Amino acid sequence: MGTATSRTGFTTQALLDLESAAASFMGTEAAVHLPSGYMGAAAVLASMAQRFDVIFADEASHYAVFDAAAASGKPIHRFGHCDADHLTALLRQHLRHGQRPLVITDGVFALLGDIAPVDRYIAALADCPAAAVYVDDAHGLGVLGDRGRGTLEHHGLGAANRLDSDWAGNVSLWHSATLSKALGGYGGVIAGSEGFVEMVGRSSDLVRGASPLPPMLLAGSTEALRLVRNESGVRTQLHVNVRQVKRGLAAMGLTVDQSPVPIVSVATGDGPGMQRIQQRLLERDIAIAYFGAYSGSKPGGSLRIAVFADHTTEQIDELLSALRAVL
Ligand SMILES: Cc1ncc(COP(=O)(O)O)c(C=O)c1O
């Protein structure tokens, strides 16, 4: 069953239900759903293009973020990965009087698993009138923060029930996320104040022109949001599993941060060597990804372990002992 038309022509109840569930999950006044998370950055930056003049981007940001930045036609300066001091230096160097900066970043980096220091970026923008920060929180939603609202909540920025300019004094906060990662649903979501969401819905051709997902996929995402919201044991178990994996890897001498992010990157040796490790684990029915080239990857690429809430203690022990044998 398809949707037959863009949402401008007809809006299904399933779509409205999902948008209302997303707003309630994120603690915002409203939300708009997109057929993919990749489209979120493009929709936000295109809609808000009149509100910024110069872009400052974390150099390891996802393709979706850089594509959106390039489409805006505004100048782009790249700062070091998660480096707020470098951002401050670039702001001093490149921002002319009266220009409005936009800082863009992933919330949680797809490959590296790092959490963007959004609070430090806001502090770096304190002296800039009319600054904005855009966070693509594809990998933060459903994982970080007390209620799983993502990177902004992790940094204590998630308590307010509005996004946009009320959040951080002179700094507007815009974000989008995907339901396709931790939630196991599908599609992107942009959440915020009524005014912000209305603005994006009204001015983004992506929102107006793309066919929404078929109702059964939308309903699946709505149910996923309900589940993660009401059954907090799922996220608690995820964090228990993440701790077990990360402590195990640290005990093997690997440098691993101890954040609750369920993505662990291991870069060891060269690309073919890592592909051999991936193959040897697969022979033991353990599937981990190898990314040769991806946004944020180092030369040679990286193995990437994704931890799930329903992995058992025994399965994680098995992963760790297999890694001990092959690394
Ligand atoms: C930061 C970021 N944005 C967007 C996407 C794409 O999201 P989707 O797969 O829902 O289109 C990803 C996927 O990994 C991502 O990491």
Side-chain angles (χ1 to χ4, degrees), residues 55-60 76-95 103 117 120-121 124-125:
I55 295 176
F56 296 84
D58 184 307
E59 64 184 3
I76 305 169
H77 303 285
R78 296 173 185 236
F79 58 90
H81 177 50
C82 288
D83 189 344
D85 293 335
H86 191 209
L87 167 64
T88 305
L90 290 186
L91 286 166
R92 284 203 192 107
Q93 193 182 339
H94 296 289
L95 206 60
V103 174
R120 298 196 59 214
Y121 298 160
L125 293 165

Side-chain angles (χ1 to χ4, degrees), residues 94-111:
H94 296 289
L95 206 60
R96 301 280 158 266
H97 183 69
Q99 284 187 320
R100 298 157 305 170
L102 170 67
V103 174
I104 58 175
T105 180
D106 296 17
V108 171
F109 288 80
L111 182 59

Side-chain angles (χ1 to χ4, degrees), residues 92-232:
R92 284 203 192 107
Q93 193 182 339
H94 296 289
L95 206 60
R96 301 280 158 266
H97 183 69
Q99 284 187 320
R100 298 157 305 170
L102 170 67
V103 174
I104 58 175
T105 180
D106 296 17
V108 171
F109 288 80
L111 182 59
L112 305 170
D114 300 326
I115 304 172
V118 180
D119 50 344
R120 298 196 59 214
Y121 298 160
I122 289 170
L125 293 165
D127 296 332
C128 305
V133 176
Y134 163 71
V135 179
D136 183 335
D137 210 15
H139 291 274
L141 185 70
V143 174
L144 293 182
D146 286 347
R147 285 156 293 195
R149 289 176 179 170
T151 300
L152 300 183
E153 187 180 30
H154 171 82
H155 286 301
L157 298 161
N161 69 354
R162 290 166 57 93
L163 279 177
D164 206 5
S165 47
D166 287 0
W167 270 45
N170 62 318
V171 182
S172 298
L173 264 175
W174 309 325
H175 80 165
S176 63
T178 180
L179 302 169
S180 318
K181 312 289 179 197
L183 272 296
Y186 202 81
V189 66
I190 299 169
S193 65
E194 291 280 6
F196 173 69
V197 169
E198 220 269 318
M199 168 88 171
V200 174
R202 193 163 18 93
S203 56
S204 165
D205 293 343
L206 289 170
V207 175
R208 278 194 312 223
S211 295
L213 296 179
M216 62 276 200
L217 283 181
L218 298 169
S221 295
T222 305
E223 179 58 15
L225 285 166
R226 188 203 62 76
L227 202 136
V228 176
R229 182 178 177 173
N230 296 344
E231 299 180 23
S232 61

